[in-house]
Structures are given as C-alpha cells and as structure tokens.
Amino acid sequence: MILYHGSNMEIKEPKIILSKRLLDFGTGFYLTSDYGQAKKWAERTATRRETGTPIISVFRVEDEKMEGLNILTFDSANTAWLKYISANRTDKRVSDSYDVVTGPVANDQAIRTVNNYLKGYFSEEIAIQLLLPQKLKDQYAFKTELALTALKFEEAKYI
C-alpha cells in the first residue's frame, strides 16, 4: 500500500512529535491514501507555518511489519469514530495503546458538524446522520515508534 504525507518539507524519516494541536486520532504521524488530501495538507501546513514549500512525501507500507501491530480501524464516520475524535479534539485526549489508527478524516465540512456536536447543538444521532453522506477521505495515524518502522520512504513530490 502507498500512503502520502503532506507537509511543508520533505520527510524521509518520520517522527512522532508531541504537539498541542488537537488532532482526530491524537498524537501521531499522519498519512492518507488519497493524493489530493495529502496535497491539501501540504498546502495548509506551508501556509500555517509560513515557511517551506508544499511537499508530499510518499511511503510504502511494509505489510509484514504491520502484522502484530495493534490497529484500530474505523470503517465509517460512525458513533465510535465520533466519540474517539471528539475526545481527541478536546482536552480529554484519548490514552490508548494503539500503534495505528485509521478511518475517515474530519475535513472542513465534517469538523463543523463535530464542533457543533461538541458544543451540544447536535445530538450524536443527528451528527452521524449529517456525516454519513459526506465522502470523507481516509487518514492513518502511526502512533508509535514500532508502527513507524512499517513505513518505507519512496520519494518526495514538490507541488
């Protein structure tokens, strides 16, 4: 499997950097299987940091190294996904033992729904009904050093 990481710099050796940013799946090295999503991430990162240039680092996932990892997969924007990302996007960050978490990314439109759910404007049921029709891209959060060993850098694509 090929995954993409969008940033403002080339990343040959991924690292897990502790951040104050509240991300969907918590702290980790984030990738996607969708090139267009990675491009958006790269452009936003370069703009937000006001340095570097948008770059997509391409990684091959070594399947044999994924075996034995503790992986949490959300197949859709369901109740479990909503609760997990809601906890991570608040000060209630999830403390778990997953090496990799994968599932839909809360894009701009989805995050509005999630934020309205967090503020109590939407019930869980309404939030899920609003999220289901959206064509959300995927994301993979590699959350441990062991998980990072499954990634092999292939190339960098300058946007």
Side-chain angles (χ1 to χ4, degrees), residues 26-56:
T27 300
F29 183 72
Y30 280 72
L31 303 106
T32 180
S33 67
D34 185 86
Y35 185 88
Q37 180 67 36
K39 183 178 177 193
K40 285 181 192 176
W41 287 345
E43 290 166 344
R44 284 188 182 159
T45 301
T47 299
R48 185 178 70 244
R49 293 184 180 163
E50 298 178 340
T51 185
T53 184
I55 299 173
I56 296 173

Side-chain angles (χ1 to χ4, degrees), residues 76-148:
S76 65
N78 57 27
T79 301
W81 173 84
L82 180 61
K83 288 180 178 180
Y84 190 84
I85 68 163
S86 294
N88 279 307
R89 285 189 164 268
T90 63
D91 289 333
K92 303 172 193 155
R93 294 182 188 194
V94 176
S95 177
D96 58 42
S97 61
Y98 295 109
D99 297 303
V100 179
V101 178
T102 180
V105 61
N107 62 17
D108 293 342
Q109 186 175 351
I111 202 58
R112 281 188 217 105
T113 300
V114 171
N115 285 338
N116 284 327
Y117 163 74
L118 289 171
K119 291 174 185 173
Y121 299 152
F122 295 153
S123 68
E124 189 175 282
E125 295 76 25
I126 297 293
I128 293 298
Q129 286 176 357
L130 292 170
L131 290 166
L132 284 177
Q134 297 183 33
K135 292 184 166 99
L136 301 177
K137 305 298 183 189
D138 63 17
Q139 62 185 335
Y140 294 75
F142 283 68
K143 298 170 64 74
T144 64
E145 294 299 324
L146 180 61
L148 292 179

Side-chain angles (χ1 to χ4, degrees), residues 62-79:
E62 297 181 341
D63 293 334
E64 65 278 358
K65 290 188 178 179
M66 292 291 285
E67 293 174 15
L69 293 180
N70 190 8
I71 301 172
L72 174 61
T73 301
F74 295 102
D75 294 323
S76 65
N78 57 27
T79 301

